[in-house]
Amino acid sequence: MDTGVLLVEQDIRDLARGTAFLGSGGGGDPHAVVLQLLDILQKSGQIRLINMADLPHDALVAPCGWMGAPTVGEEKLPNGREPVAGLRMLEHLKGRKVDALIASEIGGSNGLAAMVLAAAEGLPVVDGDGMGRAFPEAQMVTYNIYGLSPNPVVFSDSNGNCLAMEAVNAAEGERIGRQIAVMMGGACHVFDFAASGYEIKQYAVRGTVSLAVNIGRAIREAKASQRDPFEALFSCLRSTGYYNHAGILFDGRIVDLQRNTVGGFSIGSLTIEAFGDSGETVKVEFQNENLKAYKGGQLLATVPDIISVLDRETADTITTEKLKYGQRVKLVGTSVPPILRTPEALAILGPLAFGFPEIYCPIEQLNNWI
C-alpha cells in the first residue's frame, strides 16, 4: 500500500475545521488533538492518506476512535499511549499486523484520532469513515448497519489498562462499553469492527477525510480574502455528491443552554433567539451531537442530517461542550450520504432511535432546498 498523499501541517489544521463541522456538534473539540498531532509530525512522523479504491481486498483495516462524553475530554487529555496499547492487543488477537487505520467517525476530534496513531506507528489512513459525520453511540456506524461484527472490541485508557470484549452484537458492545468508559475515567480509546479491505470498501463512507480538508480550506481561504466564509462552506458542500444540500437554518443569539453529563454522554438543549423584535426562537436538542432542531412546532432538521452551530462571524464550529449563553451564532444544516438514509440505517440512527416521535424527512425537503 504505497499509494496516497502525505498530509502536511496546513492539511491537518484544515482537516480539524472540517471535522468540527461534520461532527454535528459532537466528536469532541479537535483543538487539543491538532496540537498533539503536529507535535508527533514535527518529531518523526508522517501521515499517508490512501484512497479506499487502492486498499487491497485482504488488508486488515482497523477503525478507531474515542468513547466518552466530550465534556470529559476537555479536562482529561490523552497521553498518546492509549491507542498504541489497544493496537498491540488487537494485533495479538488477530494474529497479524494491522495494515491501515480508518476513523470510526469523521466528526470532531474523533475525525483525527486515527491520524495520531498513524503518525506514531507509520500506518496509512484510509480516506473514509464509518459514520460520515459523528453519532453518540458505537453501534451507529455503517459497518454495523450493513452486518459487520464489532469483535473483538478493544478498550484502553491513560493508566495503561487494556481490555478486550466479545460482544453479542454492536448495541450490547455500546451498552457495556459505555460503562467501561465511565470506569476508565469517563473516556477511553476503542478499536472495533476491524475488517478486510474488501469489507471496508463495501460499507464505509468514502472520501470524508478529503471532504473535511476541503471544508476547512474553503473557510480558511474565504476569510483570508475577506469573502463570506459561509458561502464558501456551502459552495464546497454543494460541489460534493451527497452533502450538497446545505444552508442556514437560523441566525441569532443563544439565550438558553441546558447541558449535563449523564451515563457517559453530554445531554441537553440550547435555544437561539433571532435578532430584532420578531421573538422567533429555535431549539436544538443534543446527545453529544445536535440531533434535532425545530422552530415552534416546525421541524427544521433531524438526525441523520447534520446540524452544526457556527460562530456567525468566523464560521468556526462550536461543539456542544463549547456552547455558552450569549454566543452569536448561525445554525447550519447539511444533508448526508444515501448510505445513512436507507431504511436499515434509519432504524439504527434515525429520530426514533433517539426516542423522538418524528419520522425522518430529508433536510432539503423540510427547508425547500430542492
Side-chain angles (χ1 to χ4, degrees), residues 346-368:
L346 292 175
I348 293 176
L349 45 77
L352 295 176
F354 292 92
F356 297 141
E358 292 86 354
I359 303 297
Y360 171 72
C361 182
I363 192 171
E364 61 269 27
Q365 294 181 26
L366 289 172
N367 296 277
N368 297 316

Side-chain angles (χ1 to χ4, degrees), residues 159-331:
N159 293 327
N161 297 302
C162 202
L163 176 67
M165 178 176 69
E166 289 283 326
V168 296
N169 56 47
E172 281 294 283
E174 159 64 28
R175 184 181 67 82
I176 298 170
R178 192 64 52 173
Q179 298 306 311
I180 292 172
V182 171
M183 289 188 290
M184 285 183 160
C188 63
H189 187 274
V190 180
F191 282 99
D192 55 4
F193 296 99
S196 70
Y198 176 80
E199 291 169 320
I200 291 295
K201 284 188 277 191
Q202 296 297 307
Y203 304 122
V205 185
R206 294 170 178 253
T208 49
V209 177
S210 297
L211 170 64
V213 172
N214 290 337
I215 288 172
R217 181 184 300 130
I219 294 174
R220 171 176 55 83
E221 292 180 347
K223 291 196 290 189
S225 60
Q226 299 185 328
R227 291 181 287 116
D228 184 346
F230 287 90
E231 284 304 316
L233 168 64
F234 299 144
S235 177
C236 176
L237 292 169
R238 289 165 186 159
S239 69
T240 66
Y242 30 69
Y243 293 88
N244 52 336
H245 299 290
I248 295 172
L249 298 171
F250 202 71
D251 186 3
R253 182 172 63 92
I254 296 177
V255 295
D256 187 56
L257 176 64
Q258 306 292 326
R259 181 177 52 210
N260 295 291
T261 300
V262 180
F265 296 106
S266 294
I267 296 177
S269 66
L270 69 145
T271 301
I272 307 170
E273 184 179 73
F275 299 111
D277 300 325
S278 69
E280 289 186 324
T281 60
V282 160
K283 187 170 184 178
V284 180
E285 297 186 23
F286 58 82
Q287 177 185 333
N288 290 4
E289 285 74 32
N290 300 314
L291 302 177
K292 180 172 73 169
Y294 51 98
K295 183 170 65 176
Q298 177 190 356
L299 186 66
L300 297 179
T302 187
V303 282
D305 290 324
I306 294 171
I307 305 166
S308 290
V309 180
L310 276 61
D311 181 288
R312 73 186 308 273
E313 304 299 332
T314 66
D316 288 331
T317 299
I318 306 172
T319 51
T320 51
E321 70 274 18
K322 294 285 189 180
L323 293 168
K324 295 179 181 177
Y325 178 89
Q327 287 172 323
R328 297 159 63 89
V329 301
K330 290 183 179 180
L331 188 67

